Amino acid sequence: MVTEQMGAARTPGRPRSEKAEKAIIDAAIDMLAEGSGVAELSIEAIAARAGVGKTTIYRRWSSKEDLVVDALATLKAPIPELDAATVRENVVRYLAAMQQESHNRRTRCIMNIALSESERFPHLARRFREIAVRPRREALREVIQRGVDSGELRPDVDVEVAMAALSGAMLFFTKWRDNDDELPADLADRIADQILAGLRP
Amino acid sequence: MVTEQMGAARTPGRPRSEKAEKAIIDAAIDMLAEGSGVAELSIEAIAARAGVGKTTIYRRWSSKEDLVVDALATLKAPIPELDAATVRENVVRYLAAMQQESHNRRTRCIMNIALSESERFPHLARRFREIAVRPRREALREVIQRGVDSGELRPDVDVEVAMAALSGAMLFFTKWRDNDDELPADLADRIADQILAGLRP
């Protein structure tokens, strides 16, 4: 679902235009999933695939890149609730959600394409980071900072490095593994336990 | 430089064929750097760019994918010497080399392309992991294992997770940062210190 925060300015949604919006987003995602790079995508082709006119697209998005950003953002799983009592439990929830997301082959494929385009389409990469990456990181940062504030973690914890170690360890397994083995079911727990061991008083 | 281990079977190098080989690899890298995906690359176009005949390429590589693997492998920095007395020093050398490599915009761009193609060209991704990724990981695994064996690290260290946390943390900064700030010069030290703190007895 596309929420208000995600896109460029657009007119208030009515049922009919919401349906068109979904068709447009779906068309863009399908084409990316089929291996189309951002450069090869055109508003014309997306419109044809979605069964709408080009002006319907331009009414909602000022550029192809903004449309792709919204399309990619719909693929991200929602941030899990991080309201458990302990840092460990919140970190495990966060990491488990990352692992879950990585199981979707289609999502992985599309994200790979988006990543590969970041040098060619810096605006796209920047917007995607703003609306899809940064809110997740802030959520994790808060979890760690709350742990520092409550004394569950050491006061001198390097919060940036702690975030990078937790997320990076999971990404290392989900994106950078050097084999095609199944990921262990307790991966989130193992990462949380080992890294948090270095952050406790 | 292309070393023997890297490629498919090929005839022993003579000065003239080495020169041709370098021209072919350079042509493939240039085309990837210009944004050509692997699908768009053709042996024909690479041959034309390198100023050699197609048979010169086919004499060395059995497929376009094998050629691309060798081309990508030449872009990886060599694994640093990991013969220091402490785990910490070896880890810092390893991470600093990763950070160094990430500064090369051209390398980053080409690696992004390679990554994005891994779903479409599984053979390419597999070979690249074998010749360029796995040897690095084994080198880091050895450093950690030596630390466990010597008692510098705890005997119950989860070696897989420790590797993922160290490399993943650096990748998180070099590949997935959510801003364009310069990376801190002491990043390798910070990552090593915080993660190793959780691995010591």
Side-chain angles (χ1 to χ4, degrees), chain A residues 134 137 158 176 178 190, chain B residues 134 137 158 176 178 190:
Chain A
R134 201 163 296 163
R137 296 200 177 174
D158 190 330
W176 296 86
D178 64 356
R190 284 169 55 190
Chain B
R134 201 164 294 164
R137 294 199 178 174
D158 188 331
W176 291 302
D178 65 355
R190 283 169 55 189

Side-chain angles (χ1 to χ4, degrees), chain B residues 4-58:
Chain B
E4 272 315 295
Q5 79 188 78
M6 284 179 181
R10 69 189 75 154
T11 51
R14 288 167 306 163
R16 195 175 137 200
S17 62
E18 269 169 37
K19 203 174 144 193
E21 187 167 284
K22 187 174 179 321
I24 293 162
I25 293 273
D26 286 349
I29 290 174
D30 284 344
M31 293 167 82
L32 287 169
E34 288 157 11
S36 171
V38 178
E40 293 111 77
L41 270 189
S42 72
I43 293 285
E44 205 141 22
I46 298 168
R49 178 91 164 231
V52 303
K54 285 203 293 180
T55 50
T56 307
I57 296 184
Y58 282 119

Side-chain angles (χ1 to χ4, degrees), chain B residues 9 15 18 55 67 70 73 76 87 94 99 140 146 152 156 191 194:
Chain B
E18 269 169 37
T55 50
L67 166 53
D70 276 2
K76 299 289 285 181
V87 173
Y94 186 91
Q99 183 173 357
L140 180 59
R146 282 204 308 266
E152 198 179 337
D156 65 342
I191 293 173
Q194 181 140 314

Side-chain angles (χ1 to χ4, degrees), chain B residues 107-119:
Chain B
T107 297
R108 224 162 55 221
C109 173
I110 295 170
M111 291 297 168
N112 277 346
I113 290 168
L115 177 68
S116 76
E117 304 276 4
S118 64
E119 303 275 341

Side-chain angles (χ1 to χ4, degrees), chain B residues 66-84:
Chain B
D66 283 335
L67 166 53
V68 170
V69 167
D70 276 2
L72 293 175
T74 63
L75 295 170
K76 299 289 285 181
I79 303 174
E81 292 287 328
L82 300 174
D83 56 0

Side-chain angles (χ1 to χ4, degrees), chain B residues 154-187:
Chain B
R154 282 204 317 273
D156 65 342
V157 158
D158 188 331
V159 177
E160 291 300 312
V161 168
M163 289 169 60
L166 291 165
S167 296
M170 182 55 84
L171 286 169
F172 190 86
F173 282 105
T174 59
K175 286 207 191 287
W176 291 302
R177 63 190 128 161
D178 65 355
N179 59 57
D180 295 313
D181 299 351
E182 284 271 317
L183 290 177
D186 62 349
L187 188 55

